[in-house]
Amino acid sequence: MTDLGVQDGEFDVALCQQGMPFFPDRPAAAREIHRVLCPGGVFAIAVWTPGHDILPFGVMNAALHDLGAPEPFPHAYDESSYVLTPEQVADLLADAGFHDVDSREVELLTHWPDPDAMYRGVGGTPFGAHLETLDDAQQARARELMAERTARFVVDGRLAIPTYSVIARAVA
């Protein structure tokens, strides 16, 4: 479902951070965002880009898969379903009616105080409720697996994980 339930042109700005890949109908979602923006309104979007690890979700996916946990939603363990290229994002936005589209790949660092904080951080994602269904031993093992798979990013006990995203800005 992509209906936002608001009037046309109600917003000046819209932001979609790492969400677009999860919409079953991406073009409809982009058109709906265009519809609710006023003329001249700005849409900013971030999505993961192909060719890089999707962290921390990739290590979480691998941990859940290794534990034999079912996917929390369709294609959750298929990271290729999460990514778009800068060209794909630009085309998606242009096809939805946006103009002045600027779409590019960027590398940013995601900082976590420690691996356990990263694990707790996924609680606000679609994976959070799924992790809570695991028994205590499985949750402990998931934490261990995620910590092992991100150990290369730990410096002085803190995590600094590189993320690669397409960042785009477009005007309605």
Side-chain angles (χ1 to χ4, degrees), residues 59 62-64 66-67 140-150:
V59 295
L64 290 170
D66 289 356
L67 290 169
R141 183 63 184 140
R143 279 185 167 92
E144 289 171 11
L145 289 169
M146 290 178 67
E148 289 169 10
R149 291 180 173 134
T150 56

Side-chain angles (χ1 to χ4, degrees), residues 11-166:
F11 297 96
D12 296 320
V13 177
L15 170 65
C16 183
Q17 180 183 354
Q18 311 315 69
M20 187 62 73
F22 302 104
F23 286 104
D25 186 345
R26 294 173 188 165
R31 287 190 304 272
E32 180 68 356
I33 293 166
H34 185 273
R35 182 189 69 77
V36 302
L37 285 170
C38 65
V42 175
F43 179 39
I45 181 173
V47 300
W48 290 286
T49 189
H52 307 282
D53 289 335
I54 298 174
L55 297 166
F57 294 99
V59 295
M60 183 176 40
N61 282 344
L64 290 170
H65 184 267
D66 289 356
L67 290 169
E71 290 182 314
F73 55 88
H75 309 292
Y77 297 156
D78 176 11
E79 293 178 29
S80 68
S81 71
Y82 297 6
V83 299
L84 295 167
T85 66
E87 296 78 20
Q88 288 171 317
V89 172
D91 290 345
L92 177 70
L93 299 181
D95 291 347
F98 289 95
H99 61 90
D100 296 334
V101 177
D102 178 14
S103 180
R104 63 184 77 180
E105 181 179 335
V106 298
E107 176 186 352
L108 302 169
L109 285 177
T110 303
H111 296 275
W112 301 89
D114 55 55
D116 199 51
M118 178 189 62
Y119 182 87
R120 290 189 315 272
V122 301
T125 73
F127 293 91
H130 189 65
L131 289 170
E132 290 176 7
T133 66
L134 301 176
D135 64 36
D136 290 345
Q138 288 175 310
Q139 285 191 30
R141 183 63 184 140
R143 279 185 167 92
E144 289 171 11
L145 289 169
M146 290 178 67
E148 289 169 10
R149 291 180 173 134
T150 56
R152 69 186 187 272
F153 302 114
V154 175
V155 177
D156 297 327
R158 296 177 48 91
L159 288 174
I161 299 175
T163 60
Y164 301 87
S165 295
V166 174

